[in-house]
Amino acid sequence: YLLMETSEGNITLKLYRETPLHRHNFVKLARKGYYDNQQFYRIQNNFTVQAGDPKSKGASRDVILGEGDYTIPEEIQPNKFYHKRGALAMASYYKMEKSSGGQFYIVTGFKYSDTKLFNAEDKYNKELRKEVFDSITHTSPYAEQLKEYAKDQKRYMPKIRELKKKITADTDKVMATRKQFHYTKEQKELYKTVGGAADLDGYYTVFGEVIEGLDVLTKIEKRAVDSRLRPIDAVIIKRVREIQKSEE
């Protein structure tokens, strides 16, 4: 458990044991004082609040924040840990692959309808299929053949179409062995009643959640921002420290 003291009040975070890489990394940074005196540099109403750039400490408004840092392997588990309101997750420039080492966000989100939840599921399942299709495309002999045909696409277009049909058939075989992603009844109910950012599920690692201080999160979310979603008046993380809290 961690206590995040901010200029708007305190937020208590619970980190998940099932995402050990992210949990260890976040605690390590907190112990070093990495987050102390940083700013929430990106606030998007009904979506997320984001922080984690050390350059934000005392930064003026003209300093560009939120650029890349080191990375850690993803621990994405959308069937278990999802982007409900209050979810803590790591940002990433390599979605579905790696997480940022230091930059995190907390979900504020909005309440979903059944249609929007279906669309989020469908989008993610299509993304998973595309991943399989692309990985097969880069295997031998498909990659070599496509490279050869690319030298004269007009001439080889019939062969390219035929090759893509074969890749599609191979993709179908792989997808037939995998389960489609679907939200559980509990997840759907939470997204419809509490809210969140379901469109982020499956792309970024959720590794904790807010257990106290959702009202503080609302205060942060409602702050006025400029065209870059940077708060007009800085919202500061004063300190992040470990605390003892009994399991319920």
Side-chain angles (χ1 to χ4, degrees), residues 9-138:
N10 294 344
I11 295 172
T12 304
L13 301 166
K14 175 183 178 180
L15 307 189
Y16 302 140
R17 292 189 179 94
E18 295 88 341
T19 52
L21 296 177
H22 287 69
R23 178 169 166 244
H24 172 75
N25 178 71
F26 199 77
V27 170
K28 177 186 71 176
L29 294 178
R31 286 174 177 168
K32 289 169 59 179
Y34 181 85
Y35 294 115
D36 298 357
N37 300 311
Q38 284 195 25
Q39 300 179 35
F40 278 98
Y41 63 82
R42 183 181 177 88
I43 296 176
Q44 190 166 354
N45 194 28
N46 296 325
F47 191 51
T48 62
V49 299
Q50 188 166 338
D53 189 334
K55 297 196 304 295
S56 69
K57 297 183 180 184
S60 60
R61 297 187 56 75
D62 59 338
V63 176
I64 302 299
L65 301 174
E67 296 180 334
D69 56 0
Y70 71 95
T71 61
I72 58 176
E74 56 83 12
E75 296 177 292
I76 298 169
Q77 302 172 54
N79 291 107
K80 191 169 187 178
F81 303 129
Y82 50 104
H83 287 80
K84 63 184 179 182
R85 178 172 174 78
L88 172 67
M90 273 306 193
S92 175
Y93 289 96
Y94 309 92
K95 66 178 184 179
M96 302 180 79
E97 295 180 16
K98 303 173 186 176
S99 294
S100 163
Q103 296 183 49
F104 70 91
Y105 60 90
I106 302 175
V107 174
T108 57
F110 62 91
K111 295 177 183 178
Y112 277 71
S113 64
D114 285 320
T115 299
K116 286 188 175 181
L117 284 173
F118 172 81
N119 289 338
E121 286 179 340
D122 186 55
K123 180 183 176 183
Y124 182 51
N125 284 317
K126 285 178 179 176
E127 190 70 31
L128 290 177
R129 180 182 174 83
K130 182 179 181 297
E131 265 203 331
V132 173
F133 183 92
D134 290 346
S135 65
I136 293 174
T137 300
H138 289 96

Side-chain angles (χ1 to χ4, degrees), residues 194-218:
V194 176
D199 298 272
L200 298 179
D201 285 333
Y203 300 103
Y204 307 95
T205 298
V206 174
F207 66 101
E209 63 181 280
V210 174
I211 59 170
E212 293 176 3
L214 284 173
D215 57 328
V216 176
L217 184 62
T218 299

